[in-house]
Amino acid sequence: MARIKYPKDFLNQTELFKIIKAKHDEDPLTSPITPFLSQTGIDMDKDDTNTDKALKNDTLYDKTDKKGEDYTQDRNNLFNPVLKNMKSELQFLKKLYVENTKELGHWGAQVDEERVVYPTDFLLLTQLFKDVHAKHQSFPAGSSPLALFLVQNDIDIDADLVKTTKAETKHDKKEQAKRDAEKYSELRDKFFNPVMAHVRMIAQYLKSLYVDNPKELGDWGYTVDDSPRKPRFRTTTIAAGSTRSLRGIKLLSKVENSGAVGLLLHKGKTAGKEPVVLPVAGKFTIRRGWGILRVENENQRENGKISYKTTNIGAG
């Protein structure tokens, strides 16, 4: 059976709609989709307007998302050197307070089993640095436990504070860009999702119209795949004490009990009087008439599993 392959990315989806509309607009009076549009209330002009609005919001999304990435890079460029310095400062203090690492708490640091725990949230990380800076500044000039370490390692902790403040500003702009991008993404989907739904509806109508020649849909921009599907393997879980219906199992293929409990196989949708017992690791060949297979797990405690080959996967 021919299958319609819809584009997955947004821009190709909008291009498909534009092709459909252009094809329809060649002669709306004789267009084969005119009766369908009339019956379903689909307004191609309205959909075209909404598609343009969606495209505009998608462009704004891309620009804003890129701006957010730039802000993130700027933020990291500013704060990463500060973070490196702070970690070395706290490691020095940990060695200084080796007999009482809880002293690091007065510098804002959390210690877990002799290990300094750094927050993953960016603003909590910058706050930790500001706590270290504030504690360092609380000592009289030159008497901070960090003073000699900073001199020896050529670290300007005040300059690091300036960088941190600038990094927080970049972070705030990054967060605002993220919120704006989400807004544009939501608006894009709000405008275009109904249009794409109409694209799919029109495709199914045309498929039924050109039932003997589905390739005709190619003139409307659709991609039609009529190649046979390759068999696929699937494993389905049969919950304890329950049954499931399997459909589309490949004829003459084998189903296998791949779980740890025995299963019962029933022909058709309902449980039959004489089910086939499928023991653990047992196999059963699907014969004609077994296109729908109802699998029963009588075990009330443990789930079962059944593996099978299918080209039209389905389970109920």
Side-chain angles (χ1 to χ4, degrees), residues 290-309:
W290 285 75
I292 298 178
L293 183 67
R294 191 159 184 81
V295 185
E296 180 180 2
N297 179 8
E298 291 185 308
N299 190 295
Q300 298 297 315
R301 295 184 178 181
E302 190 170 351
N303 293 342
K305 290 184 178 180
I306 186 167
S307 301
Y308 50 98
K309 183 183 292 186

Side-chain angles (χ1 to χ4, degrees), residues 128-192:
L128 174 57
F129 168 76
K130 289 189 287 186
D131 289 343
V132 171
H133 181 272
K135 182 64 177 178
H136 169 70
Q137 294 288 66
S138 70
F139 292 92
S143 64
S144 167
L146 270 181
L148 183 60
F149 178 82
L150 296 177
V151 171
Q152 289 295 320
N153 290 275
D154 196 25
I155 296 175
D156 187 339
I157 197 169
D158 292 328
D160 280 354
L161 180 63
V162 174
K163 292 178 182 178
T164 299
T165 301
K166 291 181 178 179
E168 287 178 329
T169 299
K170 294 292 185 180
H171 178 78
D172 291 343
K173 290 182 177 181
K174 185 269 292 188
E175 289 295 303
Q176 184 59 54
K178 180 181 178 181
R179 289 190 290 271
D180 290 343
E182 289 175 351
K183 177 186 69 176
Y184 294 133
S185 175
E186 290 173 0
L187 285 172
R188 176 196 65 200
D189 294 345
K190 175 185 175 182
F191 285 119
F192 192 69

Side-chain angles (χ1 to χ4, degrees), residues 27-183:
D27 190 352
L29 293 178
T30 61
S31 169
I33 67 172
T34 294
F36 181 74
L37 299 180
S38 177
Q39 288 296 318
T40 56
I42 295 176
D43 186 333
M44 295 293 280
D45 290 330
K46 180 180 178 181
D47 279 358
D48 192 42
T49 298
N50 285 337
T51 297
D52 290 340
K53 290 179 179 179
L55 284 165
K56 179 180 179 180
N57 279 283
D58 187 63
T59 299
L60 291 171
Y61 166 81
D62 285 340
K63 290 182 178 179
T64 308
D65 188 57
K66 177 61 169 61
K67 189 181 294 184
E69 292 177 357
D70 292 341
Y71 285 137
T72 299
Q73 187 63 50
D74 292 343
R75 178 200 71 182
N76 293 343
N77 289 341
L78 284 164
F79 189 69
N80 283 351
V82 178
L83 178 61
K84 180 181 178 181
N85 288 342
M86 178 179 68
K87 287 184 175 181
S88 65
E89 291 155 10
L90 289 174
Q91 287 302 313
F92 170 76
L93 290 171
K94 189 177 74 169
K95 292 177 181 178
L96 178 66
Y97 300 126
V98 65
E99 297 297 331
N100 185 16
T101 54
K102 290 184 178 180
E103 281 292 325
L104 285 169
H106 297 304
W107 294 78
Q110 178 184 348
V111 180
D112 181 15
E113 296 181 355
E114 309 303 317
R115 183 175 62 88
V116 178
V117 179
Y118 295 96
T120 56
D121 180 81
F122 178 77
L123 291 180
L124 292 179
L125 206 53
T126 59
Q127 184 58 53
L128 174 57
F129 168 76
K130 289 189 287 186
D131 289 343
V132 171
H133 181 272
K135 182 64 177 178
H136 169 70
Q137 294 288 66
S138 70
F139 292 92
S143 64
S144 167
L146 270 181
L148 183 60
F149 178 82
L150 296 177
V151 171
Q152 289 295 320
N153 290 275
D154 196 25
I155 296 175
D156 187 339
I157 197 169
D158 292 328
D160 280 354
L161 180 63
V162 174
K163 292 178 182 178
T164 299
T165 301
K166 291 181 178 179
E168 287 178 329
T169 299
K170 294 292 185 180
H171 178 78
D172 291 343
K173 290 182 177 181
K174 185 269 292 188
E175 289 295 303
Q176 184 59 54
K178 180 181 178 181
R179 289 190 290 271
D180 290 343
E182 289 175 351
K183 177 186 69 176

